[in-house]
Amino acid sequence: MRMEPGNTTTFELRYRGALETYLKPGADETQLIAALELGKIALADEVSLLDLLAIHHVSLESLIRGSRRNADVQPLLAKAIEFLAQVAAPFEMAQRGWRDIVGQLRLANEALEERVAERTAALQASELERYLMKAERLSGLGSLVAGVAHELSTPIGNCLTVSTSLMRRSSALKCRSGDRPVAPFKAFCLRRRQS
């Protein structure tokens, strides 16, 4: 609610009437309770605290002008301060409530940030563990491949050596045998059995 000069609202009229009633001689706690209720209405109607102070100032100024004696002004001002304090009490309670809520939100936010950090650390640890397990599996596979290669290279190497030797000897056998192929072949086979 924004106050515009010259535009009197229903709330302003209620405020001025309640303040005037409280400033009259013989006013009691009933009017202060009414002031507290008026503050709750102002808060519910979204009257800003600055607008409330402006309404109070305008209303009090008007009432003081209506006072005929200067001696009457000091007690009016003291009672007006009491009245304003009662009207502003709901604003104070709301502000304290907001401070409490902000404090609770701050604590909840800190707890949430801590949980996010913990979960991030756990996720990173989990990813590192998976990476290490994969590296271990690959290392095991590499060892297996190296072992198989070693186991195969020896027999293959032996086979290659023997086949090369056989090829050389068979070539030599052909060259020496000439027309008599049976005798050198028997000798070759005999040497093979002995070795």
Side-chain angles (χ1 to χ4, degrees):
M1 172 182 170
R2 300 288 298 161
M3 275 188 46
E4 295 178 22
N7 184 14
T8 305
T9 65
T10 306
F11 180 78
E12 286 180 84
L13 294 174
R14 286 182 71 184
Y15 188 92
R16 182 186 166 114
L19 178 61
E20 190 173 2
T21 302
Y22 183 69
L23 294 179
K24 287 182 183 176
D28 58 12
E29 294 293 316
T30 308
Q31 283 79 27
L32 282 180
I33 293 171
L36 184 63
E37 290 302 315
L38 196 57
K40 290 178 184 178
I41 292 168
L43 197 57
D45 288 349
E46 299 181 6
V47 175
S48 75
L49 189 56
L50 291 177
D51 286 342
L52 182 65
L53 292 173
I55 291 168
H56 178 78
H57 177 74
V58 169
S59 299
L60 183 60
E61 182 183 17
S62 174
L63 292 171
I64 289 174
R65 275 194 207 140
S67 175
R68 294 192 180 116
R69 297 178 302 184
N70 284 339
D72 293 345
V73 172
Q74 289 306 320
L76 286 177
L77 290 176
K79 286 184 88 176
I81 289 172
E82 289 175 1
F83 185 84
L84 180 60
Q86 286 300 313
V87 172
F91 286 88
E92 178 67 21
M93 287 184 261
Q95 183 185 19
R96 286 181 187 173
W98 280 109
R99 272 189 260 151
D100 290 346
I101 289 171
V102 167
Q104 290 172 2
L105 285 174
R106 188 173 293 123
L107 291 175
N109 190 33
E110 289 171 2
L112 183 60
E113 286 176 359
E114 187 176 310
R115 284 180 63 193
V116 165
E118 289 172 359
R119 296 246 173 127
T120 301
L123 181 62
Q124 288 173 343
S126 174
E127 287 177 3
L128 180 61
E129 186 177 324
R130 278 187 289 222
Y131 175 76
L132 289 174
M133 287 174 63
K134 185 177 181 181
E136 188 177 326
R137 275 189 255 130
L138 289 175
S139 173
L141 182 62
S143 296
L144 177 65
V145 168
V148 168
H150 175 71
E151 292 298 321
L152 289 177
S153 69
T154 302
I156 290 173
N158 290 342
C159 288
L160 184 61
T161 303
V162 168
S163 70
T164 304
S165 176
L166 285 175
M167 283 172 45
R168 263 189 272 129
R169 286 191 184 181
S170 69
S171 293
L173 187 61
K174 267 186 186 178
C175 291
R176 278 193 279 154
S177 68
D179 292 331
R180 304 172 288 146
V182 175
F185 184 69
K186 283 184 180 180
F188 175 75
C189 289
L190 183 62
R191 276 192 303 237
R192 282 290 113 215
R193 285 187 195 150
Q194 290 171 357
S195 58

